[in-house]
Amino acid sequence: MAASPEAVGLQPLAFPFQAPACDGSLVDVVPGSIKWLRMPLPMALDHINLYLVRDGAGWRMIDTGFDTRQTRALWEKILPGLDGPVTGIISTHHHGDHCGLAGWLTEKLRVPLYMSRAEYFAMRLFGEKASLDSWEYKEYFRRAGLSAEQLTQMAEALKQFHVDSPLARAYQRLRDGDSLVIGGREWQVRGGEGHSPEHCALHCPGLGVLLSGDQLLARISPNVGVLPFEPEANPLKDWFISLERIGKLPDDTLVLPAHELPFYGLGRRALELRQHHLGVLDRVLGLCADLPDSIFGLAQRLFPDRRSELDNVLAISETLAHLAFLLEQGRIGRSLTAAGSYEYRVAA
Ligand SMILES: [Zn+2]
Ligand SMILES: [Zn+2]
């Protein structure tokens, strides 16, 4: 494929490391400063990358893993083997794979949890199981075009992902533009929106490293979705702005992401992700031009490879994000059907 004019001069993606097993084995990605480990996840995306950053005599933990017996057992094995204490836990954002064990670890290690404010409260909000049965959730899925029966089926399937994890109370706020000193080096907090409300990536200019969380992944396009608690949001607009900002970091930065492999090629990847969404926007417009359709109808046509109820939810939320973006631009319109679902068509 020919490079786009914008990508000229940007290096192609390069992957300097092999993946370790999902068993807590430690890899020195920046010798003396950063260790990388993988933990298993109980879903299609089957792993998360976690990092330990040297902090004086100890280590600062970046993300915690999902709260499962297996992950807890891995930490029980890894922690005593470290040559120093954990000095604090940084969670990039509120998704369960990133902070699921924050409560358990802050309690066990008696250290603070560093997180942005919106992510901290989102984590506490999503800790509530009851929200799946709330009228807002039901309305969100009815508006998307699901029948009452489909909705019940989906709610049942989603409940299995709910874990009653202990709450993290030892909280310290991070925000975009903050500087943290970890192990005598300056790390800059880089805020991002769209995938989650106030995601924090961490950039260390001295080491030339970006701990990117889910903000920049090498092959996966992180989910950008409209969620039931804020059904009129336009997260794709925020995501485009955030991609542009993160894509301006030095192109020789080593990106240490939360999933898949560490890589070089940050500028190109930010551009690819932008182009991916521009492509989806075009496809959504094309589909709406064919015939007016519901959110779920469009999601099924856009994402034919869905294999689970979780995939359905992600597809609905992602489709809705693209529809919200086009709606705000006035390129499509929507109307409410008698059945209570939205129907989208290309604006006249
Ligand atoms: Zn995430
Ligand atoms: Zn993630």
Side-chain angles (χ1 to χ4, degrees):
M1 200 171 72
S4 74
E6 296 160 292
V8 170
L10 294 174
Q11 61 172 319
L13 264 60
F15 301 92
F17 301 98
Q18 304 254 317
C22 273
D23 62 358
S25 310
L26 298 167
V27 178
D28 282 305
V29 269
V30 181
S33 293
I34 306 178
K35 289 182 186 293
W36 168 32
L37 62 144
R38 270 195 170 175
M39 295 278 196
L41 291 182
M43 47 198 81
L45 177 58
D46 62 2
H47 71 275
I48 180 166
N49 299 323
L50 309 175
Y51 299 93
L52 295 166
V53 178
R54 176 55 90 180
D55 189 13
W59 297 92
R60 192 76 65 102
M61 186 187 294
I62 314 298
D63 287 334
T64 70
F66 203 73
D67 187 1
T68 62
R69 217 180 311 159
Q70 195 184 9
T71 314
R72 287 188 187 210
L74 283 170
W75 277 126
E76 299 276 18
K77 192 177 87 180
I78 295 160
L79 292 169
L82 294 177
D83 62 3
V86 170
T87 57
I89 298 164
I90 296 175
S91 262
T92 54
H93 64 301
H94 75 277
H95 293 158
D97 44 341
H98 298 260
C99 66
L101 282 173
W104 181 71
L105 284 164
T106 49
E107 195 58 34
K108 182 181 174 63
L109 303 170
R110 296 184 169 234
V111 293
L113 168 68
Y114 298 82
M115 209 169 178
S116 73
R117 184 177 279 173
E119 298 294 342
Y120 180 72
F121 287 105
M123 175 179 76
R124 297 193 65 155
L125 174 75
F126 286 108
E128 280 182 35
K129 190 175 188 174
S131 55
L132 278 170
D133 296 318
S134 70
W135 70 264
E136 298 93 336
Y137 268 68
K138 288 179 184 160
E139 178 148 299
Y140 169 90
F141 288 111
R142 193 171 67 242
R143 293 277 185 263
L146 259 61
S147 66
E149 197 180 321
Q150 285 171 314
L151 205 150
T152 310
Q153 212 175 323
M154 182 171 280
E156 284 310 310
L158 289 184
K159 277 178 190 164
Q160 63 175 327
F161 288 102
H162 181 87
V163 188
D164 270 319
S165 302
L167 276 179
R169 289 179 299 267
Y171 163 64
Q172 285 195 35
R173 183 181 183 185
L174 293 181
R175 68 178 121 187
D176 181 42
D178 278 357
S179 280
L180 293 178
V181 177
I182 307 175
R185 288 183 199 277
E186 188 194 352
W187 286 80
Q188 296 164 353
V189 177
R190 300 280 173 168
E193 298 175 33
H195 172 68
S196 64
E198 197 186 353
H199 184 289
C200 288
L202 290 159
H203 179 227
C204 180
L207 291 173
V209 165
L210 175 72
L211 291 159
S212 70
D214 277 359
Q215 199 67 28
L216 213 51
L217 305 175
R219 303 237 187 262
I220 299 172
S221 172
N223 177 255
V224 177
V226 172
L227 299 178
F229 73 93
E230 197 188 352
E232 297 298 322
N234 183 358
L236 189 55
K237 186 161 99 176
D238 300 331
W239 182 244
F240 281 137
I241 295 167
S242 302
L243 277 180
E244 195 177 341
R245 290 182 63 205
I246 211 159
K248 284 184 180 149
L249 292 175
D251 207 33
D252 58 357
T253 302
L254 172 64
V255 182
L256 300 177
H259 305 283
E260 307 181 298
L261 293 174
F263 66 98
Y264 289 101
L266 161 161
R268 180 176 294 268
R269 186 57 189 147
L271 205 62
E272 282 175 359
L273 286 168
R274 180 167 163 270
Q275 283 166 342
H276 161 76
H277 289 287
L278 293 176
V280 177
L281 288 170
D282 280 346
R283 284 171 60 209
V284 171
L285 273 176
L287 292 174
C288 290
D290 286 348
L291 74 158
D293 204 350
S294 69
I295 298 161
F296 189 47
L298 288 162
Q300 287 170 296
R301 293 198 280 158
L302 270 176
F303 303 100
D305 297 334
R306 303 165 338 278
R307 286 186 298 264
S308 64
E309 292 291 355
L310 182 62
D311 285 351
N312 279 337
V313 174
L314 293 174
I316 287 171
S317 72
E318 184 110 12
T319 302
L320 191 45
H322 290 83
L323 290 166
F325 187 86
L326 293 168
L327 192 65
E328 192 176 298
Q329 288 192 329
R331 295 164 78 187
I332 56 170
R334 75 175 177 197
S335 54
L336 200 55
T337 67
S341 67
Y342 283 127
E343 195 170 71
Y344 290 81
R345 64 191 71 231
V346 172

